[in-house]
Amino acid sequence: MIGVIRVVTFEDQRLLEEHGNIIAAKYGLDVISVCIPNQPYGIYNDETEREAVPKIIDLATRLEKDGAEAVVVSCAADPAVPELRGRLRIPVIGAGSAAALVARGLGLPAGVLGITTNAPQVVKDTLGDLFVGYAKPQNVTNTKDLLTFRGQQQAVETTRSLLEQGAKAIVFACTGYSTIGLADVLRRELGCVVVDGVEAEGLFAWYAVRTRA
Amino acid sequence: MIGVIRVVTFEDQRLLEEHGNIIAAKYGLDVISVCIPNQPYGIYNDETEREAVPKIIDLATRLEKDGAEAVVVSCAADPAVPELRGRLRIPVIGAGSAAALVARGLGLPAGVLGITTNAPQVVKDTLGDLFVGYAKPQNVTNTKDLLTFRGQQQAVETTRSLLEQGAKAIVFACTGYSTIGLADVLRRELGCVVVDGVEAEGLFAWYAVRTRA
């Protein structure tokens, strides 16, 4: 079993399990999804990240005790991932580092698509000299904006501009793109390699768990 | 289709296809295996690496022209991988960087198991501060030594010493370990996470190809 930690508080079980369900469906893994308490708006600045870190550590520690073989922090900023790696014995995977590492494995210059003003530091650092640029769709400031046709159209246009800057792969720096299935839209419309954070974290989790004896 | 480049000259088709067959079996990919000419002993020092690089570039360029969607250089030293990444439009994957990147994705301190005197630079550099140490089994100097019971026993003992040094994952720095199936032996006998170069290069190739539109 792998544990998937969401860094937003969900009341709705279906929303809570969205990332875990993608991973379960794609890789055939047994997944438990949990979320941090009392942060309905998730992490959106340094203060809310500081607030979330001990909650993520609590959840991950409990998941390890309950027999999780790997823990996934399903957020492109990899919150609490460095802290957890010093504490747990099992693999700890973050959506941001996982996506950037897949792009590095393929060796493709990467454009990063997010919804915030800047790329998450972990994504930029991990890509190193493969980092081509960062962009966010105009007028998209939260994941709900991505649910509109206009939001998705803008995401395609923004991706096109990253490809024109020399990117050969697009790395998602927001897991909201995973839940709307943007990767397949971009692959179909633009024919580029897209690295989706939830797919990437699942890929590493699958390798860690499925190849175990 | 993905192209798998072996950096040893094989006369025997079965040996040539060993890595490609592992990838095809594990990930269900369509694989073509090719090898460099006139180097029956492969790459074993700087001179033989320099000799191999233009041959690998030739093969990879031809594979891309023939429609390969990704090229894999199936050697833990990643020979010609940096050169190819500037030339081809498709993903170029090396066994050494792929294995080290998977260990980084899991965030586990990694011991590197090889057969040469030192760890391949690309593996060490890619692991960064996750690198715990490097070791080779005593009396094993080429992949044929790995085919003996004694050679495999020594590989298990060497791995145990890397785990005692604090490694939580073992990264293979020789694809000879893949062909003898050492990863499953170590997983079973020592219960550790093992990152096998051929499995890792296949994992990235699978992601690049299978998620394409």
Side-chain angles (χ1 to χ4, degrees):
Chain A
M1 177 266 285
I2 68 156
V4 171
I5 298 174
R6 304 294 308 275
V7 301
V8 186
T9 309
F10 290 106
E11 300 297 332
D12 183 335
Q13 190 72 8
R14 197 183 53 83
L15 293 177
L16 166 66
E17 291 177 349
E18 264 179 345
H19 296 184
N21 285 344
I22 292 172
I23 294 171
K26 200 159 193 97
Y27 302 104
L29 293 173
D30 185 16
V31 175
I32 288 182
S33 295
V34 295
C35 69
I36 58 171
N38 306 320
Q39 289 194 237
Y41 300 101
I43 294 177
Y44 49 88
N45 58 21
D46 288 351
E47 197 192 323
T48 47
E49 179 162 357
R50 262 196 306 276
E51 199 186 329
V53 167
K55 299 177 186 175
I56 299 170
I57 294 174
D58 268 3
L59 290 171
T61 308
R62 228 180 306 156
L63 284 164
E64 186 180 41
K65 269 195 198 129
D66 291 348
E69 294 164 274
V71 162
V72 170
V73 179
S74 200
C75 168
D78 272 27
V81 167
E83 290 86 346
L84 285 172
R85 285 180 173 171
R87 288 165 196 254
L88 305 193
R89 293 191 57 80
I90 55 176
V92 175
I93 301 160
S97 51
L101 290 167
V102 169
R104 276 194 56 184
L106 306 179
L108 297 173
V112 179
L113 187 72
I115 60 165
T116 50
T117 313
N118 300 302
Q121 200 57 43
V122 65
V123 173
K124 232 177 135 174
D125 288 350
T126 307
L127 284 172
D129 54 13
L130 289 175
F131 177 77
V132 169
Y134 175 77
K136 70 179 270 305
Q138 262 194 319
N139 308 325
V140 168
T141 50
N142 64 58
T143 53
K144 274 178 199 144
D145 293 332
L146 295 173
L147 296 173
T148 63
F149 175 71
R150 200 177 140 72
Q152 291 179 36
Q153 218 176 10
Q154 287 183 336
V156 173
E157 285 321 306
T158 309
T159 301
R160 206 187 300 270
S161 78
L162 286 167
L163 296 174
E164 281 163 5
Q165 284 171 55
K168 288 181 189 156
I170 298 298
V171 171
F172 288 165
C174 170
T175 58
Y177 291 126
S178 309
T179 41
I180 64 164
L182 184 68
D184 282 339
V185 174
L186 297 179
R187 287 163 185 150
R188 200 170 51 235
E189 296 213 4
L190 304 173
C192 56
V193 171
V194 178
V195 188
D196 173 298
V198 174
E199 287 178 355
E201 67 193 14
L203 187 75
F204 286 114
W206 176 86
Y207 187 80
V209 169
R210 273 303 160 94
T211 55
R212 281 183 85 87
Chain B
M1 177 265 285
I2 68 156
V4 172
I5 298 175
R6 304 295 307 274
V7 301
V8 186
T9 308
F10 292 105
E11 299 297 334
D12 183 336
Q13 190 71 10
R14 199 182 50 84
L15 293 177
L16 166 67
E17 291 176 350
E18 266 180 344
H19 295 184
N21 285 344
I22 292 171
I23 294 170
K26 201 161 191 95
Y27 302 104
L29 293 174
D30 184 17
V31 175
I32 288 182
S33 295
V34 296
C35 68
I36 58 170
N38 305 319
Q39 290 193 235
Y41 301 102
I43 293 175
Y44 48 87
N45 57 23
D46 288 351
E47 198 192 323
T48 48
E49 178 161 357
R50 261 196 305 277
E51 201 186 326
V53 166
K55 299 177 187 176
I56 298 170
I57 293 174
D58 268 4
L59 291 171
T61 308
R62 228 179 306 155
L63 283 164
E64 186 179 42
K65 268 194 200 131
D66 291 348
E69 293 164 274
V71 161
V72 170
V73 180
S74 200
C75 169
D78 274 28
V81 167
E83 291 87 344
L84 284 172
R85 286 179 173 173
R87 287 164 195 255
L88 305 192
R89 291 192 58 80
I90 55 176
V92 176
I93 301 161
S97 51
L101 290 167
V102 169
R104 276 194 57 183
L106 306 180
L108 297 173
V112 180
L113 187 72
I115 59 165
T116 49
T117 313
N118 300 301
Q121 200 58 44
V122 65
V123 173
K124 232 175 134 174
D125 288 349
T126 307
L127 285 173
D129 55 13
L130 289 175
F131 177 77
V132 169
Y134 175 76
K136 69 179 270 306
Q138 262 194 319
N139 307 323
V140 168
T141 50
N142 65 58
T143 53
K144 274 178 198 144
D145 294 332
L146 295 174
L147 297 173
T148 64
F149 176 69
R150 202 177 138 71
Q152 290 180 36
Q153 220 176 9
Q154 286 183 337
V156 173
E157 285 320 307
T158 308
T159 301
R160 207 188 300 272
S161 77
L162 286 168
L163 296 174
E164 282 163 5
Q165 283 170 55
K168 288 182 189 156
I170 298 298
V171 171
F172 288 166
C174 170
T175 58
Y177 292 126
S178 309
T179 42
I180 64 164
L182 185 70
D184 283 339
V185 174
L186 297 179
R187 287 164 185 151
R188 202 170 47 236
E189 296 212 4
L190 303 174
C192 56
V193 170
V194 178
V195 188
D196 174 297
V198 175
E199 288 179 355
E201 68 194 13
L203 187 74
F204 287 114
W206 176 85
Y207 187 81
V209 169
R210 272 305 160 93
T211 55
R212 279 184 86 85

